[in-house]
Amino acid sequence: MDLSKAFDTVNIHSLINKLHQTTVPNTIIKFLTNYVKGRKGYTVFQDSKSRPQQFKTGVPQGGVLSPILFNLYTSDIPQPPTGVSLTAYADDMNPSASHSNFHKAEQLLQPYLQDIFNWTKNNDLILNPDKSTATLFTPDKHEHGITLNLNINGVTIPTVKNPKILGLTLDPGFNFAEHARITKDKADSSIKILKALTSTSWGKQKETLLATYKTIVLPVIEYASTVWSPTISDSNLQKLQITQNNALRVITGCTSDTNIEHLHKETKTLPLANHLKLHASQLRQKAQLPIHPLNDLTQQTNCPRKMKETIFQNWNRKTINIDNNLNPPTPESISNNIKKIHTLAVNECLTSYKPNPILRNTAPDINPSEQSLPRKTRRLLAQLRTDKSPILKAYLHEIDSKSCPSAACPLCNYHLHNTQHLFSCPKVITTLTPWDLWFDPEAAAALLQQWDDAVGAAGGGPGSGLM
């Protein structure tokens, strides 16, 4: 339901009267009264100011108290009848009715819509039927095209398939395909910021880029994920995963055909499926507390109708569950379980990874000393850890044999020029091993400089590209 200029049309005197009907202490009521009454505003145009005009209605736009005051203002809205519910926060109101026959649901809902309209009229709020929307949620795909017969004060409410409620785009079957599409477009646009911060030879360090990704891109992807993650299809989730893969390629500097597991291991980032499972599991655990707003959802009885899965059902093992030994659970026990869930989620992810192709073993953590190296060098090391780097003849030959007809080492002209050979070529003697790409990145970088010098001295042009 769309309330036009809701915060601006609040009747200040009615708000104060409603405040007096609460248990709020008089000193706070006086403070709030002074806060909302007597506010003035003026217009500035070409360095000239108009005379101040007093606001006779409304609560401050953007004020931290405004949503709370508006909630209080609407606290006496008519209670929904049996079979109807109202979900609301501030000016976002969503009445709904549920029935196996949608005509019955319409009949339940229609009188309540009129009750809300009459209440808004009596409270000086403007309910706009044209900008309000109605949606039929149903598992029957044949009913997805039905136009609902609902109205507000005689004006028919438009029926839409993809309403947006608090930033979450819904759809008739709760498949969240449209939400995934919109989210992907937003996240892909944000990745442009990452690309502006780095390139092949310069840029911010991996840690800075990763923090930027987790600040401006990941929140877009995971917004409201505890609602949609249990039911989103694998194909739609994969679209979002591709966005994260692209971001991690920018962060690490790895090639476009780099193994996805390597990207996540390099950045210590969980794949989206694991990340969303962790979020859902932790929220489910928090909801076990009796004082948690979602606690009622943990006590649901089995519904006779076929319903979409939520994080509280766990039909498809979309959450990690730890039973609480205490009844009721305490904040300390919940906190401990949340830590255990994090550990289990990370271990579950790590055990699913295949061995590193170079080490033929699980890749260890990268030594923090790598952070002292230039971005260009770290990018090269990240590529070599997965055996996919433009400085390797074997890699270049694999992707374009015409441009690089030989995969042999440019120094010994015999062995395959891959990451392993960088540490075993008889022309560049070293005691290092491929493990030192992780254990001693600084020494590995020095070895690459030796290669660069050796190839240059042999007349083969730049080797590793570090020069």
Side-chain angles (χ1 to χ4, degrees):
M1 307 189 79
D2 181 79
L3 291 173
S4 300
K5 300 180 180 180
F7 281 24
D8 292 332
T9 55
V10 169
N11 186 309
I12 294 176
H13 297 289
S14 297
L15 173 62
I16 295 171
N17 288 335
K18 292 181 181 184
L19 273 170
H20 280 291
Q21 295 171 18
T22 68
T23 57
V24 176
N26 285 331
T27 52
I28 296 180
I29 292 178
K30 289 180 181 179
F31 172 82
L32 293 174
T33 300
N34 289 329
Y35 175 63
V36 296
K37 286 185 69 175
R39 294 184 301 113
K40 295 182 178 181
Y42 58 86
T43 301
V44 178
F45 178 70
Q46 293 184 351
D47 297 327
S48 297
K49 291 197 297 187
S50 67
R51 288 193 308 172
Q53 297 290 327
Q54 184 168 319
F55 294 114
K56 297 180 180 179
T57 61
V59 292
Q61 285 282 353
V64 69
L65 289 178
S66 296
I68 298 173
L69 292 174
F70 193 87
N71 280 345
L72 188 145
Y73 189 71
T74 59
S75 60
D76 59 351
I77 195 169
Q79 290 298 308
T82 303
V84 179
S85 62
L86 176 66
T87 306
Y89 177 72
D91 59 340
D92 197 292
M93 296 185 178
N94 301 280
S96 60
S98 180
H99 199 280
S100 56
N101 185 329
F102 75 90
H103 291 296
K104 294 288 185 181
E106 284 179 327
Q107 294 170 12
L108 289 170
L109 192 56
Q110 181 57 60
Y112 186 52
L113 298 182
Q114 192 61 40
D115 290 343
I116 293 178
F117 174 78
N118 295 335
W119 177 87
T120 56
K121 195 173 181 180
N122 293 334
N123 285 269
D124 300 314
L125 297 175
I126 304 170
L127 184 56
N128 193 332
D130 295 324
K131 292 185 179 180
S132 299
T133 63
T135 304
L136 175 62
F137 299 103
T138 170
D140 187 352
K141 294 182 180 179
H142 296 95
E143 294 181 341
H144 287 181
I146 288 175
T147 299
L148 294 170
N149 184 24
L150 294 169
N151 68 82
I152 296 176
N153 198 35
V155 180
T156 301
I157 303 173
T159 300
V160 301
K161 288 187 177 181
N162 297 113
K164 180 177 284 189
I165 299 178
L166 295 176
L168 176 64
T169 303
L170 303 175
D171 57 85
F174 290 129
N175 298 314
F176 298 103
E178 182 65 10
H179 180 76
R181 185 192 66 79
I182 293 172
T183 298
K184 179 173 173 58
D185 288 344
K186 286 182 180 179
D188 286 344
S189 180
S190 300
I191 290 178
K192 295 176 183 177
I193 298 175
L194 290 178
K195 293 180 178 179
L197 295 174
T198 185
S199 184
T200 57
S201 59
W202 58 270
K204 296 294 183 181
Q205 290 286 29
K206 180 175 70 175
E207 291 73 23
T208 302
L209 295 172
L210 186 60
T212 304
Y213 167 74
K214 291 181 178 179
T215 303
I216 65 174
V217 183
L218 187 57
V220 173
I221 295 176
E222 68 181 10
Y223 178 75
S225 65
T226 50
V227 176
W228 54 259
S229 63
T231 61
I232 193 170
S233 67
D234 291 341
S235 59
N236 284 321
L237 182 59
Q238 181 58 27
K239 293 175 184 177
L240 298 177
Q241 180 62 62
I242 290 173
T243 296
Q244 175 161 291
N245 297 344
N246 292 336
L248 298 185
R249 286 191 183 96
V250 174
I251 292 168
T252 60
C254 288
T255 58
S256 58
D257 59 346
T258 298
N259 182 279
I260 304 306
E261 290 181 1
H262 176 74
L263 296 175
H264 290 80
K265 193 75 170 61
E266 280 279 313
T267 56
K268 290 188 176 181
T269 301
L270 290 175
L272 273 184
N274 301 84
H275 180 77
L276 299 180
K277 185 175 184 178
L278 172 61
H279 267 263
S281 303
Q282 291 183 330
L283 178 60
R284 176 177 173 143
Q285 185 66 215
K286 292 175 184 177
Q288 304 297 321
L289 273 178
I291 61 172
H292 195 279
L294 301 181
N295 182 257
D296 289 346
L297 297 179
T298 65
Q299 313 296 328
Q300 294 180 95
T301 57
N302 291 330
C303 181
R305 295 173 58 198
K306 183 178 180 180
M307 305 286 281
K308 284 286 186 176
E309 181 184 7
T310 73
I311 63 173
F312 298 100
Q313 273 83 47
N314 194 37
W315 294 338
N316 294 328
R317 297 184 180 179
K318 294 294 181 72
T319 57
I320 299 171
N321 303 318
I322 297 179
D323 293 331
N324 289 287
N325 297 324
L326 300 177
N327 190 18
T330 64
E332 292 75 17
S333 67
I334 295 294
S335 178
N336 290 332
N337 285 342
I338 287 174
K339 293 176 183 178
K340 291 178 183 177
I341 287 172
H342 183 273
T343 301
L344 290 171
V346 172
N347 289 338
E348 183 180 277
C349 175
L350 293 178
T351 53
S352 69
Y353 285 166
K354 297 177 182 177
N356 181 274
I358 299 169
L359 305 177
R360 293 186 176 88
N361 207 327
T362 302
D365 290 338
I366 302 169
N367 192 300
S369 63
E370 189 195 70
Q371 297 178 25
S372 64
L373 298 173
R375 159 73 181 178
K376 182 180 178 181
T377 306
R378 297 185 69 185
R379 174 177 174 270
L380 180 57
L381 293 174
Q383 294 172 351
L384 292 175
R385 292 187 193 107
T386 190
D387 210 20
K388 294 180 181 293
S389 174
I391 72 164
L392 299 173
K393 296 290 185 181
Y395 174 73
L396 293 177
H397 178 75
E398 180 183 346
I399 61 174
D400 190 355
S401 58
K402 291 183 179 179
S403 299
C404 184
S406 173
C409 172
L411 293 181
C412 68
N413 293 315
Y414 178 72
H415 294 284
L416 197 65
H417 190 237
N418 54 21
T419 299
Q420 288 277 5
H421 186 65
L422 295 178
F423 296 86
S424 59
C425 181
K427 299 294 184 179
V428 180
I429 306 300
T430 181
T431 58
L432 300 178
T433 70
W435 286 90
D436 289 304
L437 288 169
W438 286 266
F439 290 140
D440 197 348
E442 292 177 307
L447 174 63
L448 295 178
Q449 185 62 57
Q450 284 182 284
W451 267 91
D452 196 83
D453 296 339
V455 173
S464 66
L466 289 177
M467 294 180 65

